[in-house]
């Protein structure tokens, strides 16, 4: 059994170069320019004994098959190109792709639970569905929620994983990955790097063992492909492939192709959108209709902000920005976490994690900043009752980069439509 040679340490190249070349090294030799899409679900062989030996090898090690995959639930050559490229960008030995971010997290939890390590220590806030999966114990895991300072004390003999998102969804709260990794001791630290992407942050360089992405977001980048991926060492990747084979959460090869294509523009997209997002964060922080702005010190294309008025009026008022959940697309999206992305988290837990009912989460795309600002300005004034515009109850807007803190604002009062 040989592991894919393409992940062997290559001469160090810049991220932008890797983004367009990793996973495509053999194309010239194949006489191709675009990566081929292999849609086979099965692979013919007349040599039954050799196939049996390959299946045995996979079952015992979880290593990548040397040669064609036998069956598409084991592996797929197109998806493997995306895995190779993402591992290179994150600086890990390997990566394993799944049908969605949630399928990827599920596989990580199952790998640890199957070793009897059913306890997870997690830092809130997390993406709503990740919170729900842990809180509900659907996979037989048990969670202890804590803040970064409480991680070391929360670890038990049966702790299999410590999980954090930084910047976190939706408050953009940041955690010190190196300090957390230190607190974890020998327990693997999983960092959900969906928001920062490897363009802005490579958690493994700071001591994380496992990096998770909802590839649906920035890696795909165009809002048209769903996927998840875990970047890690080959030992953990092998265990993930075995779980993926057994549970079936595989990424479709068409999605693998789109994700590989998405990676090639990832650095350009993330940098351009981050510049616009930082600009919008500054403008929002100076706007009297906005009470608080969250923008991470690491940068990025996400901006969250709290409004004095009803956040639902802002969602109803946008015209250029798309009022939709999800993030990381070329076009800008805005949503109200308390109503949508984090609806599934119990109200008390949501507020305790800093997810105010007045919080809006915006994913900044590649539009011109002036057009986005004009749309936001319109939306911030949408349906407002002039008698209630004075921000009497709250202090001056906080600066950009303000450390997110827990703040339970009251629920927005229902407003009669004035139309
Ligand atoms: C969307 C998201 C997920 C879940 O990913 P899916 O691809 O929707 O399954 C996990 N983590 C974060 C931070 C996300 O934003």
């Amino acid at each position: 059994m040989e592991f894919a040679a393409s992940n062997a340490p290559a001469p160090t190249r810049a991220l932008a170069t890797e983004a367009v070349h990793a996973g495509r090294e053999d194309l010239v030799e194949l006489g191709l320019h675009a990566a081929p899409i292999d849609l086979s679900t099965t692979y013919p062989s007349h040599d039954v004994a050799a196939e049996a030996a390959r299946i045995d090898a996979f079952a015992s090690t979880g290593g990548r098959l040397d040669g064609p995959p036998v069956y598409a639930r084991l592996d797929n050559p197109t998806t493997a190109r995306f895995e190779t490229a993402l591992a290179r960008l994150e600086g890990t030995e390997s990566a394993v792709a799944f049908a969605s971010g949630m399928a990827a997290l599920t596989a990580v939890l199952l790998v640890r639970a199957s070793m009897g390590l059913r306890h997870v220590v997690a830092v809130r806030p997390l993406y709503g569905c990740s919170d729900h999966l842990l809180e509900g114990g659907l996979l037989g895991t048990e969670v202890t929620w804590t803040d970064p300072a409480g991680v070391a004390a929360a670890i038990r003999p049966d702790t299999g994983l410590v999980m954090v998102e930084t910047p976190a969804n939706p408050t953009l709260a940041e955690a010190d990955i190196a300090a957390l990794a230190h607190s974890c001791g020998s327990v693997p630290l999983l960092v959900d790097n969906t928001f920062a992407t490897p363009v802005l942050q490579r958690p493994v360089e700071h001591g994380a063992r496992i990096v998770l992405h909802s590839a649906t977001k920035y890696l795909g980048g165009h809002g048209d492909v769903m996927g998840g991926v875990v970047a890690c060492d080959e030992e953990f990747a092998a265990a993930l492939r075995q779980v993926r084979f057994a549970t079936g959460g595989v990424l479709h090869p068409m999605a693998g192709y789109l994700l590989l294509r998405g990676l090639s523009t990832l650095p350009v997209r993330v940098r351009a959108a981050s510049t616009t997002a930082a600009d919008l964060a500054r403008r929002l922080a100076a706007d009297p209709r906005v009470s608080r702005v969250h923008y991470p010190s690491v940068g990025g294309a996400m901006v969250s902000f709290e409004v004095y008025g009803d956040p639902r009026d802002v969602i109803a008022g946008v015209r250029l920005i798309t009022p939709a959940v999800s993030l990381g697309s070329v076009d800008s999206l805005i949503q109200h976490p308390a109503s949508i992305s984090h609806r599934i988290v119990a109200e008390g837990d949501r507020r305790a994690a800093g997810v105010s009912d007045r919080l809006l989460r915006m994913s900044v795309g590649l539009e011109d900043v002036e057009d986005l600002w004009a749309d936001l300005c319109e939306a911030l004034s949408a349906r407002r009752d002039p008698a209630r515009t004075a921000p009497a109850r709250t202090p001056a807007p906080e600066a950009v980069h303000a450390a997110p803190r827990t703040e339970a604002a009251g629920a927005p009062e229902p407003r009669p439509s004035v139309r």
Side-chain angles (χ1 to χ4, degrees), residues 100-102 127 130 165 169 192 194-195 214 216-217 226-227 327:
S100 68
M102 292 317 301
Y127 169 67
S130 303
E165 276 178 25
N169 188 350
D192 185 326
T194 299
F195 276 31
S214 168
T216 314
K217 315 294 170 53
M226 177 157 267
L327 56 119

Side-chain angles (χ1 to χ4, degrees), residues 171-174 292-297 397-405:
T171 60
L172 309 180
E174 289 174 277
R292 191 159 181 222
V293 176
H294 305 256
Y295 188 69
S297 64
E398 288 183 41
V400 176
H401 294 311
R405 79 193 133 77

Side-chain angles (χ1 to χ4, degrees), residues 256-396:
Y257 175 86
L258 287 171
L259 290 174
L260 180 72
R261 191 166 80 157
L263 286 186
S264 57
T265 54
L266 181 71
V268 196
R269 284 187 284 108
V270 168
R271 290 200 182 104
S274 297
T275 302
T276 307
D279 191 338
L280 290 175
R282 274 190 294 274
R283 297 187 196 204
L284 285 165
D287 193 290
R289 296 164 294 187
V290 174
S291 59
R292 191 159 181 222
V293 176
H294 305 256
Y295 188 69
S297 64
V298 74
M302 301 298 297
V303 183
S304 294
F305 58 100
E306 290 161 42
V307 292
Y308 288 112
D310 187 334
R312 292 168 298 193
D313 288 351
V314 180
I315 301 291
V318 288
R319 291 294 173 267
L320 175 66
I321 301 168
T322 304
V325 74
S326 197
L327 56 119
S329 186
V330 287
D331 59 317
S332 297
L333 308 173
I334 193 166
Q335 63 107 16
H336 180 227
S339 299
I340 314 283
S341 67
H342 289 67
R343 187 77 188 168
I344 201 157
V345 180
E347 199 174 328
D349 293 338
R350 200 164 64 217
R351 289 189 183 154
V355 185
S356 157
D357 288 349
R358 295 187 180 269
L359 185 78
L360 289 159
R361 190 195 76 189
M362 180 167 56
S363 166
V364 177
L366 299 178
E367 301 93 336
D368 186 86
V369 66
E370 299 302 339
D371 291 330
L372 289 173
W373 181 240
D375 194 42
L376 267 182
C377 275
E378 281 281 313
L380 280 166
S381 297
R383 292 209 222 163
R384 288 187 63 82
D385 173 357
R388 298 184 66 224
T389 47
R393 288 180 288 137
T394 346

Side-chain angles (χ1 to χ4, degrees), residues 13 172 198 211 236 245 253 311 328 387:
R13 288 172 170 170
L172 309 180
V211 180
F236 199 80
F245 175 58

